[in-house]
Amino acid sequence: MTNKFPDNFWWGAAASAPQTEGASNVDGKSPTTWDVWHEREPEAFFNQVGPDLTSDVYHRYRDDIQLMKDMNLNSYRTSISWARLLPDGKTLNEKAVAYYRDYFQTMLDTGIEPVINLFHFDMPWWMMELGGWENADIIEHFAYYAKVAFEQFGDIVKNWATFNEPMVHIECGYLGDAHWPRVNDFKRAIQVGYHTLMAHFAAVRSFRQSGVEGKIGTILNLSPVYARSEEAADLEAQKWADLFHTRSLLDPIALNQFPQELVDILKEHDLLPTLYAEHDELLTQAIDFLGVNYYQPLRVKAREEIPSTLERPSSLYAGYDWPEKKMNKYRGWEIYERGIYDIAMRIKNDYGNVPWFISENGMGVADEERFIDESGIVQDTYRIEFIRDHLTWLLKSINEGSNCFGYHLWTFVDCWSWLNAYRNRYGYYRVDLENNLERTPKLSSFWLREIIEKNELDI
Ligand code: BGP
């Protein structure tokens, strides 16, 4: 067992355009669903803070990149805003091109590899008005947007992702109410998931056709599923939870096939989506790498009774409250460090050991000003412990042959977080909302700087 990470390991952080840029109504950008939702229902957002008040990266990226350098980061993931680049879906916004080119080039000039994602929950409002992910036309619109991005930035960006956590806009928007359009309908959610997958494949095809050199993948939130016991009914519950939450997207994306058992059960309940004309051809498009966002496991047990209609994945399993769980009480998420190892082994054993990296992992904590010391530094020892414990398991998996090539924390500078706005802070740097959005390093940033310098964990 070595404590060293592989050579050229990506040390970095992750963010997204809608959560960091601000400038939501500046230089020709058109509104996203988040902008419109916030305008209509500000009370739905913590402290009524919407996506117009973020860490203002649109104007401060140069300074932030210098802070990344100070921390020894060698890579950084963020996204392009579709609504900024193509405000009406067709017309190129030259100001957006100039901004993103300078942003990405500055990273490169500073020794930081830009990893650029195309969609991070931020549906342009014009597309939402056309039905959003429910309208099959989005596949073509998205592929066009991807093509334009590759043409405009493909000479400087060498690592691309199509989506961040596609399961989240599907589940939160169509089986829940944390994302617009807050629909609760399993059949519609499945159609949305299917269109999202096809849009991913169409973007990958567009990348291959563009002739741009580089790699393309996607970023999934993966929660290893653990059963309450080894009893058959609990294991059955685990199987279904895993099929719906993990394999439904991971199998087509990483293996180019849909799990047969999932297809069968959807057919049995008349829930199969309407297939896109180019289904067969698109399904052959392969990724170069996978990004994995890991925050928490999913624990399940058998339901007392299985309902006759399948209304949502959890019709086939029940959540299990593991008495020994350790919680991040601010976010309400279980902390289970070993999960990162179990994911790594699964990718190794079931998904051809495809190259992958941790594209998000992190700990959101409320009221972090409590931990500011006399020198003005947040003493986030809990975050250091969190990262160290996850890295320890990640290292073990690498020692056992996992093809993991990086670790990105969510996030770099505290950022705006959807309905939670600025309640929980995740960054290596604090942003002071009361003082001109000033950035201050937290203790964890100094700690990680040393780890990166040695490329080694001192355990
Ligand atoms: C991930 C998202 C991020 C980020 C993070 C933290 O699911 O990709 O956008 O927000 O979670 O979660 P939250 O902001 O909900 O606390």
PDB file of all heavy atoms in Angstrom, residues 256-284:
ATOM      1  N   ASN A 256     -23.151   1.201 -22.934  1.00  0.00           N
ATOM      2  CA  ASN A 256     -23.973   1.339 -24.151  1.00  0.00           C
ATOM      3  C   ASN A 256     -25.090   0.292 -24.245  1.00  0.00           C
ATOM      4  O   ASN A 256     -25.406  -0.216 -25.325  1.00  0.00           O
ATOM      5  CB  ASN A 256     -23.083   1.319 -25.405  1.00  0.00           C
ATOM      6  CG  ASN A 256     -22.165   2.528 -25.426  1.00  0.00           C
ATOM      7  OD1 ASN A 256     -20.982   2.426 -25.130  1.00  0.00           O
ATOM      8  ND2 ASN A 256     -22.717   3.698 -25.704  1.00  0.00           N
ATOM      9  N   GLN A 257     -25.653  -0.017 -23.101  1.00  0.00           N
ATOM     10  CA  GLN A 257     -26.843  -0.895 -23.125  1.00  0.00           C
ATOM     11  C   GLN A 257     -27.732  -0.608 -21.912  1.00  0.00           C
ATOM     12  O   GLN A 257     -27.247  -0.184 -20.865  1.00  0.00           O
ATOM     13  CB  GLN A 257     -26.436  -2.362 -23.131  1.00  0.00           C
ATOM     14  CG  GLN A 257     -25.736  -2.791 -21.864  1.00  0.00           C
ATOM     15  CD  GLN A 257     -25.074  -4.163 -21.975  1.00  0.00           C
ATOM     16  OE1 GLN A 257     -24.660  -4.578 -23.050  1.00  0.00           O
ATOM     17  NE2 GLN A 257     -24.957  -4.851 -20.860  1.00  0.00           N
ATOM     18  N   PHE A 258     -29.032  -0.832 -22.092  1.00  0.00           N
ATOM     19  CA  PHE A 258     -29.970  -0.655 -20.986  1.00  0.00           C
ATOM     20  C   PHE A 258     -30.096  -1.970 -20.232  1.00  0.00           C
ATOM     21  O   PHE A 258     -30.109  -3.035 -20.854  1.00  0.00           O
ATOM     22  CB  PHE A 258     -31.350  -0.237 -21.513  1.00  0.00           C
ATOM     23  CG  PHE A 258     -31.400   1.188 -21.966  1.00  0.00           C
ATOM     24  CD1 PHE A 258     -31.132   1.525 -23.292  1.00  0.00           C
ATOM     25  CD2 PHE A 258     -31.688   2.200 -21.071  1.00  0.00           C
ATOM     26  CE1 PHE A 258     -31.161   2.849 -23.715  1.00  0.00           C
ATOM     27  CE2 PHE A 258     -31.718   3.528 -21.483  1.00  0.00           C
ATOM     28  CZ  PHE A 258     -31.460   3.851 -22.806  1.00  0.00           C
ATOM     29  N   PRO A 259     -30.200  -1.934 -18.904  1.00  0.00           N
ATOM     30  CA  PRO A 259     -30.363  -3.191 -18.154  1.00  0.00           C
ATOM     31  C   PRO A 259     -31.702  -3.845 -18.509  1.00  0.00           C
ATOM     32  O   PRO A 259     -32.750  -3.194 -18.428  1.00  0.00           O
ATOM     33  CB  PRO A 259     -30.352  -2.747 -16.686  1.00  0.00           C
ATOM     34  CG  PRO A 259     -29.974  -1.320 -16.664  1.00  0.00           C
ATOM     35  CD  PRO A 259     -30.176  -0.754 -18.030  1.00  0.00           C
ATOM     36  N   GLN A 260     -31.655  -5.099 -18.895  1.00  0.00           N
ATOM     37  CA  GLN A 260     -32.862  -5.775 -19.378  1.00  0.00           C
ATOM     38  C   GLN A 260     -33.969  -5.806 -18.321  1.00  0.00           C
ATOM     39  O   GLN A 260     -35.142  -5.596 -18.619  1.00  0.00           O
ATOM     40  CB  GLN A 260     -32.516  -7.202 -19.847  1.00  0.00           C
ATOM     41  CG  GLN A 260     -33.617  -7.863 -20.665  1.00  0.00           C
ATOM     42  CD  GLN A 260     -34.059  -7.017 -21.869  1.00  0.00           C
ATOM     43  OE1 GLN A 260     -33.239  -6.479 -22.613  1.00  0.00           O
ATOM     44  NE2 GLN A 260     -35.373  -6.855 -22.040  1.00  0.00           N
ATOM     45  N   GLU A 261     -33.571  -6.034 -17.072  1.00  0.00           N
ATOM     46  CA  GLU A 261     -34.607  -6.121 -16.017  1.00  0.00           C
ATOM     47  C   GLU A 261     -35.359  -4.807 -15.852  1.00  0.00           C
ATOM     48  O   GLU A 261     -36.545  -4.790 -15.528  1.00  0.00           O
ATOM     49  CB  GLU A 261     -33.942  -6.463 -14.682  1.00  0.00           C
ATOM     50  CG  GLU A 261     -34.044  -7.933 -14.358  1.00  0.00           C
ATOM     51  CD  GLU A 261     -33.442  -8.216 -13.002  1.00  0.00           C
ATOM     52  OE1 GLU A 261     -32.203  -8.138 -12.894  1.00  0.00           O
ATOM     53  OE2 GLU A 261     -34.183  -8.503 -12.057  1.00  0.00           O
ATOM     54  N   LEU A 262     -34.656  -3.730 -16.080  1.00  0.00           N
ATOM     55  CA  LEU A 262     -35.298  -2.417 -15.978  1.00  0.00           C
ATOM     56  C   LEU A 262     -36.277  -2.220 -17.142  1.00  0.00           C
ATOM     57  O   LEU A 262     -37.414  -1.775 -16.945  1.00  0.00           O
ATOM     58  CB  LEU A 262     -34.215  -1.327 -15.996  1.00  0.00           C
ATOM     59  CG  LEU A 262     -34.658   0.088 -15.717  1.00  0.00           C
ATOM     60  CD1 LEU A 262     -35.170   0.231 -14.291  1.00  0.00           C
ATOM     61  CD2 LEU A 262     -33.497   1.064 -15.938  1.00  0.00           C
ATOM     62  N   VAL A 263     -35.827  -2.572 -18.321  1.00  0.00           N
ATOM     63  CA  VAL A 263     -36.697  -2.472 -19.496  1.00  0.00           C
ATOM     64  C   VAL A 263     -37.949  -3.318 -19.270  1.00  0.00           C
ATOM     65  O   VAL A 263     -39.078  -2.870 -19.515  1.00  0.00           O
ATOM     66  CB  VAL A 263     -35.937  -2.935 -20.769  1.00  0.00           C
ATOM     67  CG1 VAL A 263     -36.868  -2.972 -21.973  1.00  0.00           C
ATOM     68  CG2 VAL A 263     -34.738  -2.023 -21.032  1.00  0.00           C
ATOM     69  N   ASP A 264     -37.750  -4.530 -18.763  1.00  0.00           N
ATOM     70  CA  ASP A 264     -38.884  -5.447 -18.570  1.00  0.00           C
ATOM     71  C   ASP A 264     -39.911  -4.887 -17.591  1.00  0.00           C
ATOM     72  O   ASP A 264     -41.106  -4.938 -17.848  1.00  0.00           O
ATOM     73  CB  ASP A 264     -38.393  -6.813 -18.060  1.00  0.00           C
ATOM     74  CG  ASP A 264     -37.619  -7.569 -19.131  1.00  0.00           C
ATOM     75  OD1 ASP A 264     -37.717  -7.182 -20.318  1.00  0.00           O
ATOM     76  OD2 ASP A 264     -36.893  -8.525 -18.782  1.00  0.00           O
ATOM     77  N   ILE A 265     -39.425  -4.347 -16.485  1.00  0.00           N
ATOM     78  CA  ILE A 265     -40.402  -3.873 -15.486  1.00  0.00           C
ATOM     79  C   ILE A 265     -41.122  -2.617 -15.995  1.00  0.00           C
ATOM     80  O   ILE A 265     -42.320  -2.434 -15.745  1.00  0.00           O
ATOM     81  CB  ILE A 265     -39.778  -3.665 -14.093  1.00  0.00           C
ATOM     82  CG1 ILE A 265     -40.912  -3.557 -13.073  1.00  0.00           C
ATOM     83  CG2 ILE A 265     -38.880  -2.450 -14.040  1.00  0.00           C
ATOM     84  CD1 ILE A 265     -40.529  -3.784 -11.654  1.00  0.00           C
ATOM     85  N   LEU A 266     -40.432  -1.777 -16.731  1.00  0.00           N
ATOM     86  CA  LEU A 266     -41.092  -0.579 -17.275  1.00  0.00           C
ATOM     87  C   LEU A 266     -42.156  -0.993 -18.300  1.00  0.00           C
ATOM     88  O   LEU A 266     -43.250  -0.440 -18.342  1.00  0.00           O
ATOM     89  CB  LEU A 266     -40.072   0.360 -17.911  1.00  0.00           C
ATOM     90  CG  LEU A 266     -39.068   1.020 -16.961  1.00  0.00           C
ATOM     91  CD1 LEU A 266     -38.170   1.993 -17.722  1.00  0.00           C
ATOM     92  CD2 LEU A 266     -39.757   1.758 -15.810  1.00  0.00           C
ATOM     93  N   LYS A 267     -41.830  -2.009 -19.081  1.00  0.00           N
ATOM     94  CA  LYS A 267     -42.769  -2.510 -20.084  1.00  0.00           C
ATOM     95  C   LYS A 267     -44.008  -3.073 -19.394  1.00  0.00           C
ATOM     96  O   LYS A 267     -45.145  -2.752 -19.755  1.00  0.00           O
ATOM     97  CB  LYS A 267     -42.082  -3.606 -20.886  1.00  0.00           C
ATOM     98  CG  LYS A 267     -42.748  -3.933 -22.174  1.00  0.00           C
ATOM     99  CD  LYS A 267     -41.802  -4.797 -22.987  1.00  0.00           C
ATOM    100  CE  LYS A 267     -42.418  -5.122 -24.328  1.00  0.00           C
ATOM    101  NZ  LYS A 267     -41.571  -6.017 -25.094  1.00  0.00           N
ATOM    102  N   GLU A 268     -43.759  -3.863 -18.379  1.00  0.00           N
ATOM    103  CA  GLU A 268     -44.866  -4.491 -17.637  1.00  0.00           C
ATOM    104  C   GLU A 268     -45.837  -3.438 -17.096  1.00  0.00           C
ATOM    105  O   GLU A 268     -47.042  -3.650 -17.022  1.00  0.00           O
ATOM    106  CB  GLU A 268     -44.233  -5.286 -16.481  1.00  0.00           C
ATOM    107  CG  GLU A 268     -45.158  -6.167 -15.699  1.00  0.00           C
ATOM    108  CD  GLU A 268     -44.423  -6.694 -14.450  1.00  0.00           C
ATOM    109  OE1 GLU A 268     -43.218  -7.049 -14.555  1.00  0.00           O
ATOM    110  OE2 GLU A 268     -45.044  -6.713 -13.378  1.00  0.00           O
ATOM    111  N   HIS A 269     -45.314  -2.277 -16.712  1.00  0.00           N
ATOM    112  CA  HIS A 269     -46.169  -1.225 -16.136  1.00  0.00           C
ATOM    113  C   HIS A 269     -46.499  -0.110 -17.141  1.00  0.00           C
ATOM    114  O   HIS A 269     -46.899   0.976 -16.735  1.00  0.00           O
ATOM    115  CB  HIS A 269     -45.483  -0.638 -14.893  1.00  0.00           C
ATOM    116  CG  HIS A 269     -45.442  -1.592 -13.740  1.00  0.00           C
ATOM    117  ND1 HIS A 269     -46.435  -1.669 -12.800  1.00  0.00           N
ATOM    118  CD2 HIS A 269     -44.537  -2.540 -13.418  1.00  0.00           C
ATOM    119  CE1 HIS A 269     -46.131  -2.607 -11.910  1.00  0.00           C
ATOM    120  NE2 HIS A 269     -44.986  -3.155 -12.267  1.00  0.00           N
ATOM    121  N   ASP A 270     -46.277  -0.390 -18.392  1.00  0.00           N
ATOM    122  CA  ASP A 270     -46.579   0.574 -19.448  1.00  0.00           C
ATOM    123  C   ASP A 270     -45.867   1.924 -19.231  1.00  0.00           C
ATOM    124  O   ASP A 270     -46.469   2.992 -19.387  1.00  0.00           O
ATOM    125  CB  ASP A 270     -48.110   0.779 -19.535  1.00  0.00           C
ATOM    126  CG  ASP A 270     -48.489   1.542 -20.798  1.00  0.00           C
ATOM    127  OD1 ASP A 270     -47.714   1.468 -21.772  1.00  0.00           O
ATOM    128  OD2 ASP A 270     -49.535   2.232 -20.784  1.00  0.00           O
ATOM    129  N   LEU A 271     -44.617   1.835 -18.848  1.00  0.00           N
ATOM    130  CA  LEU A 271     -43.868   3.059 -18.556  1.00  0.00           C
ATOM    131  C   LEU A 271     -42.701   3.298 -19.523  1.00  0.00           C
ATOM    132  O   LEU A 271     -41.906   4.215 -19.319  1.00  0.00           O
ATOM    133  CB  LEU A 271     -43.312   2.997 -17.120  1.00  0.00           C
ATOM    134  CG  LEU A 271     -44.327   3.138 -15.983  1.00  0.00           C
ATOM    135  CD1 LEU A 271     -43.702   2.761 -14.646  1.00  0.00           C
ATOM    136  CD2 LEU A 271     -44.875   4.562 -15.916  1.00  0.00           C
ATOM    137  N   LEU A 272     -42.603   2.479 -20.539  1.00  0.00           N
ATOM    138  CA  LEU A 272     -41.477   2.668 -21.468  1.00  0.00           C
ATOM    139  C   LEU A 272     -41.608   4.012 -22.178  1.00  0.00           C
ATOM    140  O   LEU A 272     -42.708   4.418 -22.555  1.00  0.00           O
ATOM    141  CB  LEU A 272     -41.451   1.546 -22.512  1.00  0.00           C
ATOM    142  CG  LEU A 272     -40.828   0.215 -22.078  1.00  0.00           C
ATOM    143  CD1 LEU A 272     -40.886  -0.782 -23.229  1.00  0.00           C
ATOM    144  CD2 LEU A 272     -39.384   0.386 -21.609  1.00  0.00           C
ATOM    145  N   PRO A 273     -40.499   4.698 -22.396  1.00  0.00           N
ATOM    146  CA  PRO A 273     -40.583   5.989 -23.102  1.00  0.00           C
ATOM    147  C   PRO A 273     -40.797   5.792 -24.600  1.00  0.00           C
ATOM    148  O   PRO A 273     -40.520   4.720 -25.137  1.00  0.00           O
ATOM    149  CB  PRO A 273     -39.195   6.598 -22.857  1.00  0.00           C
ATOM    150  CG  PRO A 273     -38.291   5.432 -22.648  1.00  0.00           C
ATOM    151  CD  PRO A 273     -39.121   4.358 -21.999  1.00  0.00           C
ATOM    152  N   THR A 274     -41.246   6.839 -25.249  1.00  0.00           N
ATOM    153  CA  THR A 274     -41.314   6.840 -26.710  1.00  0.00           C
ATOM    154  C   THR A 274     -39.885   6.981 -27.224  1.00  0.00           C
ATOM    155  O   THR A 274     -39.164   7.905 -26.819  1.00  0.00           O
ATOM    156  CB  THR A 274     -42.138   8.061 -27.191  1.00  0.00           C
ATOM    157  OG1 THR A 274     -43.380   8.011 -26.513  1.00  0.00           O
ATOM    158  CG2 THR A 274     -42.337   8.038 -28.688  1.00  0.00           C
ATOM    159  N   LEU A 275     -39.488   6.071 -28.109  1.00  0.00           N
ATOM    160  CA  LEU A 275     -38.086   6.078 -28.534  1.00  0.00           C
ATOM    161  C   LEU A 275     -37.817   7.130 -29.606  1.00  0.00           C
ATOM    162  O   LEU A 275     -38.669   7.418 -30.449  1.00  0.00           O
ATOM    163  CB  LEU A 275     -37.672   4.702 -29.060  1.00  0.00           C
ATOM    164  CG  LEU A 275     -37.657   3.552 -28.046  1.00  0.00           C
ATOM    165  CD1 LEU A 275     -36.911   2.358 -28.622  1.00  0.00           C
ATOM    166  CD2 LEU A 275     -37.059   3.945 -26.696  1.00  0.00           C
ATOM    167  N   TYR A 276     -36.642   7.659 -29.536  1.00  0.00           N
ATOM    168  CA  TYR A 276     -36.173   8.661 -30.503  1.00  0.00           C
ATOM    169  C   TYR A 276     -35.749   7.931 -31.779  1.00  0.00           C
ATOM    170  O   TYR A 276     -35.208   6.813 -31.713  1.00  0.00           O
ATOM    171  CB  TYR A 276     -34.990   9.393 -29.866  1.00  0.00           C
ATOM    172  CG  TYR A 276     -34.485  10.592 -30.595  1.00  0.00           C
ATOM    173  CD1 TYR A 276     -35.318  11.681 -30.854  1.00  0.00           C
ATOM    174  CD2 TYR A 276     -33.153  10.661 -31.017  1.00  0.00           C
ATOM    175  CE1 TYR A 276     -34.835  12.805 -31.503  1.00  0.00           C
ATOM    176  CE2 TYR A 276     -32.663  11.786 -31.663  1.00  0.00           C
ATOM    177  CZ  TYR A 276     -33.514  12.849 -31.910  1.00  0.00           C
ATOM    178  OH  TYR A 276     -33.029  13.966 -32.542  1.00  0.00           O
ATOM    179  N   ALA A 277     -35.965   8.599 -32.926  1.00  0.00           N
ATOM    180  CA  ALA A 277     -35.697   7.934 -34.214  1.00  0.00           C
ATOM    181  C   ALA A 277     -34.274   7.380 -34.296  1.00  0.00           C
ATOM    182  O   ALA A 277     -34.049   6.298 -34.814  1.00  0.00           O
ATOM    183  CB  ALA A 277     -35.965   8.918 -35.342  1.00  0.00           C
ATOM    184  N   GLU A 278     -33.312   8.132 -33.760  1.00  0.00           N
ATOM    185  CA  GLU A 278     -31.917   7.702 -33.913  1.00  0.00           C
ATOM    186  C   GLU A 278     -31.409   6.876 -32.728  1.00  0.00           C
ATOM    187  O   GLU A 278     -30.196   6.775 -32.517  1.00  0.00           O
ATOM    188  CB  GLU A 278     -31.034   8.939 -34.067  1.00  0.00           C
ATOM    189  CG  GLU A 278     -31.280   9.678 -35.358  1.00  0.00           C
ATOM    190  CD  GLU A 278     -30.286  10.823 -35.510  1.00  0.00           C
ATOM    191  OE1 GLU A 278     -29.137  10.557 -35.880  1.00  0.00           O
ATOM    192  OE2 GLU A 278     -30.666  11.960 -35.214  1.00  0.00           O
ATOM    193  N   HIS A 279     -32.322   6.318 -31.979  1.00  0.00           N
ATOM    194  CA  HIS A 279     -31.978   5.587 -30.756  1.00  0.00           C
ATOM    195  C   HIS A 279     -30.792   4.630 -30.942  1.00  0.00           C
ATOM    196  O   HIS A 279     -29.797   4.717 -30.225  1.00  0.00           O
ATOM    197  CB  HIS A 279     -33.215   4.816 -30.272  1.00  0.00           C
ATOM    198  CG  HIS A 279     -32.955   3.912 -29.116  1.00  0.00           C
ATOM    199  ND1 HIS A 279     -33.233   4.270 -27.811  1.00  0.00           N
ATOM    200  CD2 HIS A 279     -32.417   2.668 -29.058  1.00  0.00           C
ATOM    201  CE1 HIS A 279     -32.903   3.285 -27.016  1.00  0.00           C
ATOM    202  NE2 HIS A 279     -32.398   2.289 -27.747  1.00  0.00           N
ATOM    203  N   ASP A 280     -30.908   3.721 -31.910  1.00  0.00           N
ATOM    204  CA  ASP A 280     -29.884   2.673 -32.044  1.00  0.00           C
ATOM    205  C   ASP A 280     -28.514   3.252 -32.366  1.00  0.00           C
ATOM    206  O   ASP A 280     -27.507   2.851 -31.787  1.00  0.00           O
ATOM    207  CB  ASP A 280     -30.278   1.677 -33.142  1.00  0.00           C
ATOM    208  CG  ASP A 280     -31.460   0.831 -32.708  1.00  0.00           C
ATOM    209  OD1 ASP A 280     -31.777   0.829 -31.496  1.00  0.00           O
ATOM    210  OD2 ASP A 280     -32.083   0.191 -33.576  1.00  0.00           O
ATOM    211  N   GLU A 281     -28.516   4.205 -33.257  1.00  0.00           N
ATOM    212  CA  GLU A 281     -27.228   4.772 -33.648  1.00  0.00           C
ATOM    213  C   GLU A 281     -26.601   5.553 -32.489  1.00  0.00           C
ATOM    214  O   GLU A 281     -25.408   5.437 -32.214  1.00  0.00           O
ATOM    215  CB  GLU A 281     -27.444   5.695 -34.848  1.00  0.00           C
ATOM    216  CG  GLU A 281     -26.145   6.082 -35.509  1.00  0.00           C
ATOM    217  CD  GLU A 281     -26.260   7.368 -36.301  1.00  0.00           C
ATOM    218  OE1 GLU A 281     -27.331   7.590 -36.913  1.00  0.00           O
ATOM    219  OE2 GLU A 281     -25.286   8.148 -36.269  1.00  0.00           O
ATOM    220  N   LEU A 282     -27.416   6.329 -31.788  1.00  0.00           N
ATOM    221  CA  LEU A 282     -26.869   7.146 -30.693  1.00  0.00           C
ATOM    222  C   LEU A 282     -26.338   6.289 -29.560  1.00  0.00           C
ATOM    223  O   LEU A 282     -25.315   6.604 -28.941  1.00  0.00           O
ATOM    224  CB  LEU A 282     -27.937   8.120 -30.171  1.00  0.00           C
ATOM    225  CG  LEU A 282     -28.219   9.313 -31.073  1.00  0.00           C
ATOM    226  CD1 LEU A 282     -29.364  10.149 -30.508  1.00  0.00           C
ATOM    227  CD2 LEU A 282     -26.974  10.190 -31.221  1.00  0.00           C
ATOM    228  N   LEU A 283     -27.010   5.204 -29.297  1.00  0.00           N
ATOM    229  CA  LEU A 283     -26.622   4.352 -28.159  1.00  0.00           C
ATOM    230  C   LEU A 283     -25.213   3.766 -28.300  1.00  0.00           C
ATOM    231  O   LEU A 283     -24.638   3.285 -27.330  1.00  0.00           O
ATOM    232  CB  LEU A 283     -27.665   3.232 -27.981  1.00  0.00           C
ATOM    233  CG  LEU A 283     -27.614   2.420 -26.701  1.00  0.00           C
ATOM    234  CD1 LEU A 283     -27.750   3.314 -25.471  1.00  0.00           C
ATOM    235  CD2 LEU A 283     -28.732   1.370 -26.688  1.00  0.00           C
ATOM    236  N   THR A 284     -24.635   3.853 -29.479  1.00  0.00           N
ATOM    237  CA  THR A 284     -23.289   3.282 -29.655  1.00  0.00           C
ATOM    238  C   THR A 284     -22.190   4.253 -29.201  1.00  0.00           C
ATOM    239  O   THR A 284     -21.022   3.873 -29.132  1.00  0.00           O
ATOM    240  CB  THR A 284     -23.026   2.958 -31.142  1.00  0.00           C
ATOM    241  OG1 THR A 284     -23.128   4.183 -31.878  1.00  0.00           O
ATOM    242  CG2 THR A 284     -24.031   1.955 -31.681  1.00  0.00           C
TER     243      THR A 284
END
